[in-house]
Amino acid sequence: MNVSITQLLEVLENLISIHQTMLELAAQKTPVLVNNQVVELNTIIHKENKLIKQIEELERMRVQLTGEYLISRGYNPDPKVRVSDLIKIIFKAEEKKALSEVQARLLDVMTEMKKQNEVNQKLIEQSLAFIDFSLDLFVKTPEQDAFYQHPNQTGYSSVRNGIFDTKA
């Protein structure tokens, strides 16, 4: 195999490893969100931020190695070239197969991570909706909910006996 392809495979393997760690953190985040454990959530987010920086660096390396490979084959380097594009222009079956397998594994991990993040996002949205509902209970007076009052009736907007004054 060409040195550039070998190096590219190593970078992609590292990306898979980091994305698997991100997937594990996303799975750990779910019960933390359910149980409202803010300190643990901050710890997980801090770890994720470190991993994101590593992913960014590996992605820069991937683009660089892809460019070097393209130049060595007489193509113009393009930072937008994806692994799937590179697979199409590789002639050696061994290199094609290796890149295809690594790409498939990376896509699988990223798909699982996306699913887990969607679950976590829904939990966060539900939590925010509950907080909003709880705040509404504190701010509104029971009379506002119990009786209809015509909006043009005097005193409609001046009645405020809630626990918190949101205009303060």
Side-chain angles (χ1 to χ4, degrees):
M1 260 192 240
N2 188 316
V3 176
S4 295
I5 293 297
T6 303
Q7 291 172 336
L8 185 60
L9 287 170
E10 289 174 13
V11 168
L12 293 172
E13 289 289 348
N14 287 336
L15 280 169
I16 290 170
S17 175
I18 292 173
H19 279 86
Q20 286 173 331
T21 304
M22 291 282 288
L23 177 60
E24 292 168 9
L25 289 174
Q28 291 173 13
K29 198 185 294 183
T30 303
V32 167
L33 290 169
V34 169
N35 296 320
N36 196 27
Q37 298 169 321
V38 178
V39 174
E40 290 83 356
L41 181 61
N42 283 334
T43 302
I44 292 172
I45 290 171
H46 182 70
K47 289 176 184 176
E48 286 176 333
N49 286 336
K50 285 183 178 180
L51 292 173
I52 289 170
K53 288 178 183 173
Q54 291 177 9
I55 289 171
E56 289 171 349
E57 180 60 32
L58 287 170
E59 183 59 22
R60 277 192 288 276
M61 288 175 65
R62 184 200 62 79
V63 169
Q64 178 186 349
L65 290 171
T66 301
E68 290 174 8
Y69 181 81
L70 290 172
I71 290 171
S72 73
R73 297 291 182 234
Y75 294 99
N76 290 328
D78 183 359
K80 295 178 184 174
V81 172
R82 300 175 305 190
V83 174
S84 58
D85 299 327
L86 193 58
I87 291 169
K88 292 176 186 174
I89 64 169
I90 292 176
F91 295 115
K92 293 183 181 178
E94 178 183 312
E95 291 177 351
K96 243 183 216 235
K97 181 181 177 190
L99 271 177
S100 295
E101 289 173 357
V102 170
Q103 179 197 27
R105 288 183 24 235
L106 182 58
L107 288 175
D108 287 345
V109 172
M110 291 177 79
T111 301
E112 285 301 311
M113 199 169 79
K114 181 180 178 183
K115 288 178 187 176
Q116 187 64 49
N117 283 336
E118 287 171 355
V119 168
N120 289 343
Q121 181 178 354
K122 287 178 184 174
L123 286 171
I124 290 169
E125 289 169 359
Q126 289 173 355
S127 180
L128 289 173
F130 178 75
I131 290 169
D132 188 46
F133 173 75
S134 298
L135 286 174
D136 281 348
L137 289 177
F138 283 118
V139 174
K140 289 183 180 177
T141 62
E143 295 81 24
Q144 287 176 325
D145 291 336
F147 301 103
Y148 172 77
Q149 188 173 10
H150 193 277
N152 293 335
Q153 189 175 355
T154 58
Y156 176 72
S157 61
S158 62
V159 177
R160 185 150 204 96
N161 292 331
I163 296 174
F164 298 110
D165 183 5
T166 57
K167 294 182 182 179

